[in-house]
Amino acid sequence: MEAEKVTGIHGCCPNPLLILLEPQNHQPLPKPKSTTAACRHTFATTTTSSFFPNTHFTNHESLPSYQESYDQFLKAYPKYSESHQVDKIRNQEYYHLSVSNHVCLDYIGIGLFSYSQVQSQVSAVVPLTSSSSSPSSHECSEYPFFDISCKSVDLKSELLHGGDGSQLESCIKKNIMNFLNMSTNEYSMVFTANRSSAFKLIAESYPFKTSRKLLTVYDHESEALETMVNTSEKRGANIMSAEFKWPRLRINSAKLRKLIIRKKKQKKSRGLFVFPLQSRVTGASYSYQWMSLAQENGWHVLLDACALGPKDMNSFGLSLIHPDFLICSFYKVFGENPTGFGCLLVKKSVVSMLEASVSTGIVSLVPPTQLLNSLDSSGSGTELEQKNNFVTKLDELHISGSNSAHNSAKSTHNNESGKDAPKDKSDNTKLEEKRSIEIQCRCLDHVDSLGLMQIGNRRRYLVNWLISALLKLKHPNRLDHFPLVKIYGPKIKFDRGTAMAFNLFDWKGERVEQILIQKLADRNNISLSHGFLSHLWFPDKYEEEKQRTIEGKKCDEKDAQNKKSKKTDFGISVVTIALSFLANFEDVYRLWTFIAQFLDADFVEKERWRYSSLYQKTIEV
């Protein structure tokens, strides 16, 4: 199949929000709105017409090859080639993705460290075995850069008296604040166990007695949001939420505006406005002007930045919008051990209004030397020697020797290895200064070096190509060209995020179970996730479609018992993906070819039967 010749997209209008952030002494572009609209229209039109024009694929074996698809992709998006530095970083710093042949599409987020960085640390302290050239993932988890420990302190007290914490915490806070473009003069930060803990801390500390309303803007359900809503409701908050219009799932602007705008007679604070600039499920992007409107009408604003991609913080300019609270989260290593901690930033001017809380969601970052020193000292002589070596090596890498336990371990190692300690005190001082803690957050550094334009364009090209390709998959032997894939929310769009929600339907029009899709994806080394769309609003003309589409949310018995209300949550269960800044064309092409297999009716029925048998613990021979 020959690719149709198209005019390449040269990355025009990379981010329309930046227009509002240009220096005032620059001459404004003529009719910027028209230029922006034309750019977006050109992008969407070119994307729609460039890939497999007037073609539907009804068999997974008829898909074009990887090379043919990639050549066509580059013709449409020549600017993609300029992001080769991302591929270089991926190959050098995250080589485990290629080694394991893994396509990681199951979470949105960014880590502090690169995989290579962690491996380098572990390689320096863990003796290599003859059977492997690098430490295993298990060894990486045994020897982390840091661990977390819970603190029994309430949020307000920690913000007022907690300080910067240890050198380790202070250094990581500095890196994160710089990455987020947040000023330490205006904001204070605490580390939380996870995203849910950060939401709960705010819900327990916010003065809902005087500012009674909690207004959220989410097109999906999440554990973190549910935790905040339940906690706030117990404290007397009046819970409200935005609605999203079917079928494109845009914000119901008329209703949200009514909820935000206060009456002229009302002078007191309205409450807390919780707002994500982007949906972590559908990829829908929302205008930051909703935050401005909320602030103008007396709301405190909580910005949920967890779904934002790298450098997206610069796309709306915190110099214009100063949220009262900001929540973000960081993972340890992309595609490996996707756990970490949350960050809660609070504007210093609002700390005094917070109320005392009893939550235990605040954590400290514990240096690995302290972590190992707290472990049981039992074990063989070889194991203890390796542990001492690890403590000493970490001290040399990035941990200050101020802690006496650290120094003790270092001295022991020096004596055993026959090394002489420095005799001159000045040499000691210089050594301590040199070893003074300076954590390198290489993942953040890489993103900073790439910049918003390069990352934004690359991810924009990939997600829109994927959507275009998925929409070309149609079931055979159907006169109505019934599509295999249904995408919820924005489809081909210039300013959409890189998350996507979808479902697959068999040739009879029945939805393929999400758990089955995930299990089969895992077998193909592709990690997907799932979600539940909620707060949907159907106009009257879609009433029939609503009856066919909406379902009740499934929950286990424990969740059902915890909920006092017997009200059923209605929405749509979906499969979700997210493209990180490291995603490449091979990732989206592999997902496309995997999904295309569901065009084969026999394949679907066979896998349904197989999964059902396994689920019922029936052993297949």
Side-chain angles (χ1 to χ4, degrees), residues 313-541:
M313 293 297 294
N314 289 336
S315 68
F316 60 88
L318 288 174
S319 59
L320 297 180
I321 303 297
H322 296 256
D324 301 285
F325 309 93
L326 185 143
I327 292 176
C328 59
S329 58
F330 291 91
Y331 299 95
K332 290 182 180 178
V333 179
F334 171 77
E336 183 77 18
N337 191 17
T339 59
F341 58 85
C343 292
L344 170 58
L345 290 88
V346 181
K347 189 187 288 187
K348 292 182 177 180
S349 60
V350 303
V351 173
S352 59
M353 76 167 190
L354 298 179
E355 299 176 352
S357 62
V358 294
S359 179
T360 57
I362 299 176
V363 300
S364 294
L365 304 187
V366 181
T369 47
Q370 292 181 13
L371 178 66
L372 284 176
N373 286 332
S374 67
L375 296 177
D376 184 6
S377 60
S378 62
S380 67
T382 302
E383 291 173 343
L384 292 176
E385 182 179 355
Q386 289 180 1
K387 186 186 296 184
N388 285 333
N389 288 346
F390 178 72
V391 172
T392 306
K393 291 285 187 179
L394 282 179
D395 274 351
E396 295 172 354
L397 287 172
H398 55 60
I399 300 297
S400 170
S402 59
N403 186 281
S404 60
H406 302 187
N407 290 330
S408 175
K410 180 170 66 66
S411 299
T412 301
H413 175 67
N414 285 341
N415 291 334
E416 290 177 351
S417 60
K419 293 182 179 179
D420 294 329
K423 297 180 180 180
D424 192 343
K425 292 184 179 180
S426 62
D427 291 337
N428 272 328
T429 303
K430 291 178 181 179
L431 182 62
E432 292 301 321
E433 290 177 352
K434 184 177 181 180
R435 292 188 308 154
S436 181
I437 187 167
E438 187 61 39
I439 299 295
Q440 182 184 25
C441 297
R442 198 178 292 175
C443 185
L444 301 187
D445 293 341
H446 287 149
V447 171
D448 278 329
S449 68
L450 295 170
L452 173 64
M453 296 279 288
Q454 188 174 151
I455 293 174
N457 282 336
R458 180 184 175 96
R459 299 200 306 163
R460 178 179 297 116
Y461 301 150
L462 291 172
V463 72
N464 280 283
W465 178 90
L466 176 61
I467 291 172
S468 177
L470 290 175
L471 294 177
K472 295 290 183 178
L473 303 178
K474 308 285 184 179
H475 281 289
N477 305 320
R478 290 280 300 241
L479 297 177
D480 56 354
H481 298 293
F482 189 75
L484 169 66
V485 184
K486 181 174 181 59
I487 297 173
Y488 302 92
K491 296 180 177 61
I492 296 173
K493 193 174 181 181
F494 178 86
D495 59 353
R496 78 179 322 281
T498 54
M500 185 178 72
F502 66 95
N503 274 319
L504 304 185
F505 292 84
D506 62 20
W507 68 275
K508 295 180 289 186
E510 296 179 359
R511 187 172 64 187
V512 181
E513 300 85 349
Q514 288 89 356
I515 188 65
L516 175 61
I517 298 171
Q518 281 187 271
K519 293 291 184 183
L520 295 178
D522 286 339
R523 193 191 304 171
N524 286 268
N525 272 348
I526 301 174
S527 298
L528 307 177
S529 189
H530 64 276
F532 189 78
L533 300 179
S534 60
H535 305 125
L536 307 179
W537 180 72
F538 289 77
D540 293 340
K541 62 180 179 180

Side-chain angles (χ1 to χ4, degrees), residues 3 7 34 52 127 200 210 244 435 461 488-489 506 556 567 601:
T7 302
S34 299
F52 326 116
K200 187 175 182 181
T210 56
F244 299 84
R435 292 188 308 154
Y461 301 150
Y488 302 92
D506 62 20
D556 54 33
K567 182 180 66 175

Side-chain angles (χ1 to χ4, degrees), residues 149-154 158 162 165 169 359-364:
S149 64
C150 295
K151 299 175 67 172
S152 299
V153 61
D154 72 284
E158 181 68 10
E169 290 183 312
S359 179
T360 57
I362 299 176
V363 300
S364 294

